[in-house]
Structure formats: C-alpha cells, structure tokens
Amino acid sequence: MALIDLANPTRFLTLATRVLPWLVGLTLALFAVGLYLTFFVAPDDYQQGAVVKIMFIHVPNAWLSMFVWGVMCVAALGTLVWRHPLADVAAKAAAPIGAAFTFLALATGSLWGRPMWGTYWVWDARLTSVLVLFLMYLGIIALWRTVEDPSRAARAAAILTLVGAINIPIIKFSVDWWNTLHQPASVFRAGGSAIDKSILVPLLVMAVAFTLLFLTLHVAAMRNEILRRRIRTLRLLQARMTNAGARA
Amino acid sequence: MPLRALLIRDIRIALRIGGGALTGVLFFLAVVTLIPFALGPDLALLRRIGPAILWLGALLASLLTLDRLFADDQADGSLDLLLTGRTPLELVVVTKAFAHWLTTGLPLVIAAPVLGIMLNLEPDALVIVMLTLLAGTPALTFIGVIGAALAATLRRGGLLLPILILPLTVPVLIFGVSAANATLTGPMPFGTPFAILCALTLFSMVIGPFAAATTLRQGAE
C-alpha cells in the first residue's frame, strides 16, 4: 500500500482499526518487560540508590520530546510540499502528545533533581533548552486552536514547525553558551562515561516502549481527529440545510 | 523602483498620526522606568543589570508593533496588490521589515543611551549597548516578520504573536546581553558574542523573509 493511498481517510481508518490492537498489545508487553528490567534487574546506583530508577522514565521522555518534533517536521513537509491530507491530521495530533512528553521529561527531571541536586529546578543548559522546546510546543498548539479552518491552520502550523526545527539547534547552542557563562559546571559530575550493559539494556527497552506508546497514541489521536472533522463537516451541512429549510 | 516606493510609503505611514513609530520607544521608556520601581533605586545593582534591562525592553518594544506590519495592509487590500505584483514577495517582505526597523528599531537604538544614563551605566558601556542593539534589533525584526505574517493570515493572531516569536528570540537575547556585558564582567571577550550576534542577524535576514513570504502566500489561498 503506497503512502498516497492513505490520503483517503476511510482507508486510513480501516488500517488504524486493524493496527491499533496490535500496537496496544505490543506497547503493554514492552512496558511490562521494561519495567521488570528497571525494577528487578538494573542495579541501584552506588551513590544515588533507588532514585536512579527515575532515569528509565526520564530519558525516554526527553528523547521523545525531540523525536515528536521530528515527526511534526515530516508531517509539515507533507502538508506544504505534497498537500497530503493526512499530514495535516498527523501534525495536529502529534503536537499535544509531544508537549505531554516534554512536560513529563521536565517533571521527572525536576523530581530527580530534588534529591540529587537539592533543588527542583536549576537553570542548567539542558533543562532550559527543553523548557524553550516546551514553550514552542504550546505555541504550536495555541496556533492550531486559533484558526477555525483546519487546512489553513495546518499550513500556518507547518511553517512554524519548520522554522522551529531550524531554530532548535541554535537555541540549544546558545543556551549552552549562556550556561557556561553564568555558572560553572557543578551539577554534572564527570565520571561514568560508558554506561554498563545492565543499565543500558533496560533503558533501551524503555525507550522502545515509550516510542511505541507514542505511535499508539498518535494513531489513535489521528483517528479521533479524522472523526472530529467528519462531525464538524456534518454539523456544517446540517446547519446549512436547516437554514435553507427555514427560508423555504 | 517599486521597492523604494514601498519603503517610502511604509515609513510615511509609520510616521503619520496613528502610525507605530513612536509607540515602540514610549513602551521602551515605560518598561525601563518600571524596573527600578520593582528592584529598588540601588544604583550599583542597576548598573550591573542595566544592559540586560535595556535589551529586554528593546526586545519587548520591537515585538509590540510588529503585529500591524502586514495586518494593516491586509485590512485595506494593499497586501493583495503586493501578492499579485511582479516584485518577488520575499523582497517585498525584506523592504517592509527594513522600513519597520527604521521606524521602530532604530529609535530604540538611539534612545538606549539616554535610558542607560538613567540606569547609571558607564560611558563605554553605553556605547557597547548601543552597538549590540544596532547589530541585534534587525534580527528581532526579521524573526518577527514570520509572526507578523502569521498574524495577518489568522484573524485573531495578534495576541498569539509574542507567544510564537519569543522562544525564537532566545539566542539573540543571550548573545546580545553577553556582548553588552563584556565591559562589566570582564572575563568574556566582546568580539565572540558580538560576531555571533551579527551572524544571527544575517541568518534571520535569510530565514525570516522566506518563511514570511510562504506564510503570506499560503494564507492568501
């Protein structure tokens, strides 16, 4: 099945209904394995104790916060270059999920920071650039909610997504610069350069599990968005018909 | 030259009654006046954070007037003429942004030393703040045109503009302030952040007009 066939929303809906149960099952299975590995196999850190388990949630969320922006960029290209109708839906559905992952990365990082650094928040380079990324997600969501016509909103959001993608590395670089200017690197101790296999394997399993979770949520959100648009069109038609009936 | 005519027209509109030329400077003045009320009249503290205050005020002031950049043209129909004209839309955007910078960015740069004296800045710090603003405010305008184009294509976009644009201005603010602080704090040389600031300005001059022109074209369909 070529990508162009999916331009037909009905076809996508059938595919989504067929794929979703498998995705849900696979996600649940991987989370079961990943959580088991996290809590029973991966050793506690000699310094951090059990608190290090937060990492297995925190790192996949942080990775997804950027991965979802990448998905939105591909969708934005689909909207602007190929006018693929499904790309609009994909971009719109991805934004809140990406914002949620970014928020979770910030929140878990903050909870991790409290026992380790003694504070919930430091103006560290990574934290700050993820915060800016979170603001950009919120901006995109706000843009989607401002425009009534979905296809017009899609094109505006697509341009902003691409501009954001160009800017994310620049923001990251400048925040790094700013950080080294303002405070010495006291927070991250050098050390543990190579991650041990007993930690790496659970981490990778959790990363794949979270990625599958994103795929599941994304497909489900796209299906909901298509159905929502159908309802909107039906309502508009109905209103028009009632108007015509009243006039007659 | 249609571009020169456009430049002159935009400057005239901005300077006329109801134009936005003075609004930015007045807003700048108001913001910088408010900050000592919040911090207290401690001149040593104000001198230390003075460049940052000036930069923040200039950033907010240059964003304030941006949402009218294309919205007014759209309201009176001249945007449609610009869109259908033979002059490339990207150049039109560059011209309009330049006119906007001349009428709002440049006054900010000129007003900055006066406000800097009120913040107890040294003479050489005044010069450096002025230089960084001169190099940096065009970047703010050219990043802002993207938001202005979005605001024109969306009916209620005006309030949205700062939310969309402010995260993108983070690098300009960082390098502007760190170049401006060079005389105060010492260890950081002035040259490197200033060069990066200039690079950001040039970079946004390329990205901004293309993104804004694409937005306007897409919005017109």
Side-chain angles (χ1 to χ4, degrees):
Chain A
M1 183 187 270
L3 199 62
I4 193 73
D5 291 338
L6 290 176
N8 182 342
T10 314
R11 238 175 242 173
F12 175 79
L13 283 182
T14 11
L15 186 75
T17 357
R18 212 178 302 152
V19 166
L20 258 182
W22 290 97
L23 270 177
V24 172
L26 210 57
T27 311
L28 285 177
L30 263 171
F31 263 112
V33 175
L35 286 175
Y36 173 78
L37 286 176
T38 303
F39 283 105
F40 298 106
V41 177
D44 285 355
D45 190 84
Y46 78 100
Q47 220 175 7
Q48 305 190 7
V51 181
V52 79
K53 308 283 189 212
I54 296 177
M55 180 186 76
F56 296 100
I57 308 290
H58 172 72
V59 173
N61 276 314
W63 132 253
L64 272 170
S65 70
M66 278 170 284
F67 177 76
V68 175
W69 197 281
V71 170
M72 276 164 57
C73 281
V74 175
L77 282 178
T79 300
L80 289 179
V81 180
W82 295 290
R83 296 286 161 97
H84 200 290
L86 210 61
D88 301 7
V89 177
K92 183 172 185 184
I97 307 176
F101 279 125
T102 316
F103 176 75
L104 281 178
L106 283 171
T108 51
S110 166
L111 289 175
W112 194 7
R114 180 66 190 155
M116 286 304 107
W117 304 338
T119 169
Y120 284 113
W121 184 262
V122 288
W123 287 94
D124 164 74
R126 282 194 197 192
L127 274 74
T128 315
S129 44
V130 172
L131 182 65
V132 175
L133 182 67
F134 183 57
L135 288 180
M136 286 167 65
Y137 269 118
L138 294 186
I140 293 267
I141 295 173
L143 184 58
W144 275 108
R145 298 184 66 92
T146 319
V147 194
E148 281 158 40
D149 177 18
S151 67
R152 181 173 275 223
R155 281 172 299 194
I159 293 168
L160 197 69
T161 309
L162 291 178
V163 170
I166 298 170
N167 267 283
I168 284 170
I170 302 178
I171 292 174
K172 178 86 182 78
F173 163 72
S174 50
V175 169
D176 278 342
W177 165 285
W178 165 80
N179 183 249
T180 48
L181 196 68
H182 275 242
Q183 59 169 42
S186 57
V187 172
F188 288 105
R189 63 200 168 80
S193 54
I195 304 175
D196 191 74
K197 208 183 266 177
S198 63
I199 291 183
L200 188 64
V201 172
L203 186 60
L204 284 180
V205 173
M206 286 303 273
V208 177
F210 268 102
T211 312
L212 276 172
L213 175 66
F214 164 68
L215 282 181
T216 312
L217 291 175
H218 194 207
V219 171
M222 281 172 74
R223 192 186 59 182
N224 292 347
E225 178 62 26
I226 291 175
L227 294 176
R228 207 176 291 133
R229 284 187 187 186
R230 285 198 176 162
I231 292 172
R232 179 175 178 270
T233 319
L234 285 177
R235 281 214 182 119
L236 284 176
L237 275 176
Q238 199 181 23
R240 209 168 294 155
M241 275 161 69
T242 350
N243 258 352
R247 220 172 285 150
Chain B
M1 282 291 282
L3 288 179
R4 204 171 70 190
L6 183 65
L7 184 71
I8 292 168
R9 162 186 176 271
D10 266 31
I11 293 174
R12 271 203 193 132
I13 289 178
L15 295 178
R16 223 173 39 192
I17 296 174
L22 267 180
T23 325
V25 184
L26 291 179
F27 183 77
F28 190 34
L29 177 67
V31 168
V32 174
T33 314
L34 272 182
I35 283 175
F37 287 119
L39 292 176
D42 178 358
L43 280 180
L45 175 70
L46 286 178
R47 176 195 303 204
R48 198 158 57 78
I49 60 173
I53 295 174
L54 289 177
W55 254 94
L56 210 53
L59 172 70
L60 295 176
S62 65
L63 281 186
L64 180 73
T65 47
L66 261 174
D67 65 316
R68 310 304 309 156
L69 189 58
F70 298 111
D72 282 343
D73 283 353
Q74 195 197 27
D76 66 9
S78 44
L79 186 66
D80 291 329
L81 279 180
L82 295 174
L83 276 166
T84 50
R86 242 177 295 165
T87 323
L89 193 58
E90 285 79 8
L91 286 181
V92 169
V93 172
V94 171
T95 313
K96 284 188 71 71
F98 185 58
H100 180 265
W101 180 77
L102 279 181
T103 50
T104 55
L106 199 58
L108 293 180
V109 177
I110 295 167
V114 183
L115 295 173
I117 292 172
M118 289 158 63
L119 294 173
N120 195 28
L121 289 184
E122 300 287 324
D124 50 341
L126 289 178
V127 174
I128 283 192
V129 168
M130 219 178 145
L131 256 181
T132 53
L133 281 175
L134 187 66
T137 43
L140 300 177
T141 304
F142 278 95
I143 294 171
V145 286
I146 306 170
L150 282 172
T153 53
L154 321 173
R155 210 153 295 136
R156 289 187 298 270
L159 285 173
L160 204 57
L161 190 144
I163 306 173
L164 301 179
I165 292 306
L166 279 177
L168 302 179
T169 57
V170 167
V172 181
L173 185 65
I174 287 175
F175 287 104
V177 172
S178 67
N181 272 334
T183 52
L184 290 172
T185 46
M188 222 54 216
F190 170 72
T192 320
F194 188 72
I196 298 178
L197 184 66
C198 294
L200 284 174
T201 300
L202 293 174
F203 184 71
S204 56
M205 275 179 181
V206 177
I207 297 286
F210 276 99
T214 316
T215 311
L216 288 174
R217 275 200 208 101
Q218 304 276 2
E221 280 171 22

